[in-house]
Amino acid sequence: MWYLCVFYHRLLDYRRPEVEALAELFGAFGEDGDNSPRRSLEWKLPKNHHSDSPFHLVNLPSEDIARKIANRSILVKGIYELWGEGSSYEELEVAIKNHPDDRKLPYLTQQSTFRITVDSFGKAISFQEQNERIKGLAYIPFKGRVNLRNPDHKFWLMETDDYGSQNGLPPVVERRIFFGREVGAADRKLLPTYQLKSRTYLGPTAMDAEMAFLMANQALAMPGKLVYDPFVGTGSILVAAAHFGAMTMGADIDIRVVRDGRGPDCNVWSNFKQYGLPMPISLLRADNNLPPWRPGLKEVFDAIICDPPYGVRAGGRKSGGRKLLKGAVDPYTVPEEKRTDHIPSTAAYSLVECIHDLLDLASRMLVMGGRLVFFYPVLREDGSSDAQFPEHPCFKLIAACEQILSLRYSRVLLTMVKTAPYSEEIAESARKKHIDFKENHVKWLEEGNLRSSVFSPIDPLSDTAEDYKVNKDSKPKYRGKYV
Amino acid sequence: MRLLTHNMLSSNIKGVSNGFPLRLDVENSVSKEVEFNPDFLRNMFSKIDWKALVDAARSMGYAELPEEAPDSSMLDSDEFLKKFHHALLELHLDEGALICPETGRRFPVNKA
């Protein structure tokens, strides 16, 4: 059935993927079949609307699923059963009258309570006008009593106007009015609760709460699942995953965040305690470049969510001193008496190597159908980006959502699904690549052209190239607006 | 450190070919209550190295787990799941060390 899905007007790229992810989570595509060709929703836009409009129409299998999606989402303002729409109030009246009675009457009974809210996009409607609009709906046979606080049924009258440009969108050619019954709405109260400014322990790159929840949604975090963050830092992403009931585990190469924090009451553990969330299974001091997992351990995580260090505010580090990697000095042997608690020195870790290690780790450690969700930095030229994203034969890219950070940089949240098992050949080619990186580390780092070594197709096995081109539609210019 | 973590880690020293399972030297162990989630346990069961878990739990003084890896029909038994839950998630190595089985190097563990 088609529902009207109204979004908050922010993070435009993230809106549909979030609904799609939650649809998957709540079983809108049926059970299993991770390899089935099309696991996505049908979408439509209202007449004459641009795809960045907050109003979308989506086909969902049931009202129950629609409610669950709306209630868990961060960017959905509401999902509505549309009773009518039109470009004028006369048209709206006709449409509502034509809406089948058996869809309307159960919500208009004498015993029930209701409320009508008037809302608008791109313009303000005065209180008096709102009242007039509501009175104009008298042709709908409401029998119940009005209850503004806690009604059984919530009705919404929403309007967009046809003048000028609105909030950075191209002008809507035609005025549009919607009337519908609310099925579910997002719980944005989460955001003030989890906002970073009231969090005890923060680092320079702590993930914004709203984004962290979006990432947890993309990763399908839920009770019974295990979520891993290899660059855990102060734990801001795992907090969101834990809020949705997932078990969490984190690792970081920086011993200070993992072990010490800023004291006994200000560390990653206290961040979880602050919200009454279950503690992570463990926080490890581990190097993404040399993971400590036992041989034979694979397919253990249901999702990996992370914000890799991409060298703007925090650079990546891996084990091994710079001189050592250069071969200028012999490997340092730790004297026996200093072995205990020894933390190896670290050297710069380039983003490409980091992403390579991340994809290899994820392809080994994720369950089939498990999700890898991470940020990938992109350079913007001429106000638009035409990025090439990393690929891996085990993964299928299902969403790429751009967040513009400045004129020159943006970051893209990539969501990948594991669609093929980790094979011997993949392990072998990853191992070779790993040694390659190690041997050429200093040279490549100094030349600064590491990109080509990863982005040139290493593996003809990869057949994901075509799937991913779909996501590469060039973006219109006005996206320079920071929404 | 919980035994789930212990079950996943191996000694990462250069040149060590089989660093799993790390032996436990227990000075102090504690038990912290964790919310019981049968789905999570069923999910984890097939991924656990059973022998390593049983041995680790014994060295912490918890001997309720069966020696042989139980078959998956046991996952319907609440009683078994509770024991598994306790060993996997609630037992913590509070003070002690992990010992590399090949080189004998000690990795101290203290708190959490």
Side-chain angles (χ1 to χ4, degrees):
Chain A
M1 189 183 154
W2 287 92
Y3 290 89
L4 176 69
C5 181
V6 181
F7 292 108
Y8 286 100
H9 195 58
R10 44 185 295 105
L11 299 168
L12 306 185
D13 258 11
Y14 292 71
R15 302 176 303 176
R16 282 190 181 185
E18 187 193 28
V19 173
E20 302 252 352
L22 295 177
E24 172 81 46
L25 180 68
F26 293 118
F29 307 119
E31 289 296 304
D32 287 335
D34 301 304
N35 296 316
S36 72
R38 199 91 193 116
R39 288 175 83 76
S40 59
L41 298 170
E42 273 183 276
W43 293 89
K44 277 195 303 203
L45 282 168
K47 212 168 118 198
N48 291 327
H49 273 231
H50 185 272
S51 63
D52 283 349
S53 156
F55 299 95
H56 292 245
L57 294 160
V58 61
N59 194 358
L60 294 169
S62 75
E63 181 164 325
D64 188 45
I65 288 175
R67 182 181 311 106
K68 285 178 179 161
I69 292 174
N71 291 350
R72 162 124 178 210
S73 79
I74 301 296
L75 294 175
V76 174
K77 190 173 185 179
I79 293 183
Y80 310 90
E81 182 200 14
L82 197 57
W83 284 20
E85 62 170 307
S87 44
S88 66
Y89 275 89
E90 291 74 35
E91 259 184 63
L92 181 73
E93 181 171 345
V94 174
I96 294 177
K97 281 182 174 160
N98 283 336
H99 193 63
D101 272 350
D102 59 323
R103 300 285 325 153
K104 289 189 292 193
L105 295 180
Y107 305 101
L108 302 172
T109 56
Q110 210 160 6
Q111 298 79 27
S112 65
T113 55
F114 73 97
R115 173 180 81 194
I116 301 173
T117 312
V118 181
D119 198 9
S120 58
F121 180 75
K123 67 181 223 169
I125 303 180
S126 74
F127 190 61
Q128 200 184 354
E129 284 172 311
Q130 290 186 24
N131 269 335
E132 282 162 15
R133 300 270 204 282
I134 293 174
K135 282 182 191 142
L137 294 170
Y139 54 83
I140 303 175
F142 289 109
K143 296 239 168 50
R145 276 178 305 114
V146 171
N147 180 340
L148 295 181
R149 277 253 162 92
N150 195 17
D152 300 331
H153 308 301
K154 297 168 187 164
F155 297 95
W156 288 74
L157 183 66
M158 288 169 282
E159 231 184 281
T160 61
D161 226 341
D162 56 355
Y163 58 82
S165 67
Q166 20 181 310
N167 295 352
L169 294 186
V172 174
V173 189
E174 199 179 300
R175 181 187 192 196
R176 208 76 194 150
I177 308 158
F178 305 91
F179 181 82
R181 178 178 61 84
E182 180 181 306
V183 170
D187 181 12
R188 300 273 293 186
K189 284 200 203 79
L190 277 183
L191 302 180
T193 312
Y194 283 93
Q195 63 180 338
L196 289 184
K197 68 180 180 186
S198 52
R199 183 119 9 127
T200 335
Y201 182 43
L202 286 177
T205 58
M207 184 60 62
D208 162 55
E210 182 179 24
M211 193 56 83
F213 282 120
L214 286 172
M215 292 169 86
N217 275 345
Q218 288 298 126
L220 313 182
M222 62 178 279
K225 290 198 175 175
L226 182 58
V227 173
Y228 177 64
D229 179 356
F231 311 101
V232 67
T234 53
S236 45
I237 298 175
L238 291 186
V239 162
H243 171 82
F244 292 130
M247 288 285 194
T248 56
M249 187 180 262
D252 206 292
I253 198 166
D254 191 342
I255 187 70
R256 293 168 301 177
V257 290
V258 178
R259 185 186 57 193
D260 309 329
R262 284 186 220 279
D265 297 317
C266 182
N267 51 42
V268 182
W269 306 101
S270 77
N271 278 352
F272 281 77
K273 198 161 31 159
Q274 184 180 353
Y275 304 113
L277 297 172
M279 294 291 162
I281 300 285
S282 56
L283 296 172
L284 304 168
R285 189 273 174 192
D287 182 355
N288 190 50
N289 191 235
L290 295 166
W293 313 115
R294 70 169 152 93
L297 181 70
K298 52 181 190 176
E299 309 217 334
V300 65
F301 300 124
D302 295 288
I304 293 179
I305 322 180
C306 61
D307 185 20
Y310 33 76
V312 179
R313 279 213 262 179
R317 307 293 291 176
K318 67 170 180 173
S319 300
R322 186 182 164 85
K323 281 182 187 158
L324 195 153
L325 286 165
K326 212 172 186 169
V329 292
D330 287 332
Y332 168 66
T333 321
V334 187
E336 206 54 48
E337 70 274 14
K338 290 185 181 160
R339 278 267 160 93
T340 304
D341 269 349
H342 173 73
I343 307 284
S345 58
T346 59
Y349 187 29
S350 68
L351 179 72
V352 268
E353 183 175 8
C354 177
I355 298 293
H356 170 262
D357 291 338
L358 177 65
L359 283 169
D360 185 51
L361 174 91
S363 55
R364 182 158 90 104
M365 302 292 279
L366 279 178
V367 299
M368 283 297 286
R371 290 187 166 203
L372 170 64
V373 179
F374 66 104
F375 268 113
Y376 187 76
V378 163
L379 269 184
R380 295 170 57 80
E381 280 155 28
D382 307 328
S384 69
S385 59
D386 185 20
Q388 200 183 1
F389 300 126
E391 291 169 15
H392 191 281
C394 292
F395 284 103
K396 183 175 172 213
L397 183 71
I398 54 163
C401 316
E402 186 181 18
Q403 183 186 25
I404 295 165
L405 299 174
S406 77
L407 271 180
R408 289 189 52 223
Y409 292 105
S410 68
R411 56 178 184 178
V412 179
L413 184 66
L414 301 180
T415 306
M416 296 182 171
V417 178
K418 183 169 168 185
T419 51
Y422 193 62
S423 68
E424 289 294 321
E425 297 85 69
I426 294 169
E428 183 57 26
S429 83
R431 204 180 58 83
K432 282 202 188 114
K433 200 84 197 155
H434 180 78
I435 293 168
D436 225 24
F437 270 120
K438 210 165 157 184
E439 282 168 355
N440 298 300
H441 178 79
V442 175
K443 194 177 97 207
W444 284 348
L445 207 64
E446 277 165 6
E447 283 170 4
N449 64 351
L450 277 162
R451 281 189 90 84
S452 56
S453 63
V454 159
F455 288 114
S456 60
I458 29 163
D459 203 343
L461 279 176
S462 157
D463 57 358
T464 51
E466 270 177 34
D467 293 331
Y468 116 98
K469 278 197 187 90
V470 180
N471 294 299
K472 263 180 60 182
D473 308 343
S474 62
K475 306 239 164 71
K477 287 257 164 161
Y478 67 88
R479 272 185 175 261
K481 299 266 182 191
Y482 301 86
V483 280
Chain B
M1 170 179 263
R2 305 187 214 215
L3 296 190
L4 172 56
T5 316
H6 168 262
N7 209 281
M8 293 169 74
L9 298 179
S10 74
S11 165
N12 212 9
I13 302 170
K14 210 179 280 173
V16 168
S17 59
N18 189 13
F20 182 82
L22 291 150
R23 285 206 308 277
L24 287 177
D25 177 12
V26 186
E27 280 168 39
N28 184 30
S29 67
V30 292
S31 170
K32 294 180 197 163
E33 201 175 314
V34 175
E35 202 182 325
F36 180 67
N37 185 332
D39 288 338
F40 180 74
L41 297 169
R42 288 187 196 111
N43 205 349
M44 279 295 130
F45 177 74
S46 59
K47 295 155 191 168
I48 291 296
D49 183 304
W50 188 259
K51 189 172 180 317
L53 178 68
V54 174
D55 291 349
R58 294 225 164 130
S59 64
M60 304 207 7
Y62 185 73
E64 303 282 306
L65 292 177
E67 185 79 47
E68 288 298 308
D71 61 280
S72 48
S73 63
M74 286 294 276
L75 292 176
D76 296 328
S77 146
D78 237 28
E79 197 195 341
F80 169 75
L81 283 181
K82 289 247 161 71
K83 288 177 184 168
F84 182 43
H85 172 75
H86 183 71
L88 197 67
L89 296 174
E90 294 189 325
L91 283 179
H92 286 254
L93 175 62
D94 201 41
E95 295 279 347
L98 304 173
I99 301 167
C100 170
E102 219 169 283
T103 61
R105 187 176 309 168
R106 289 170 65 86
F107 299 95
V109 173
N110 41 44
K111 304 283 173 207

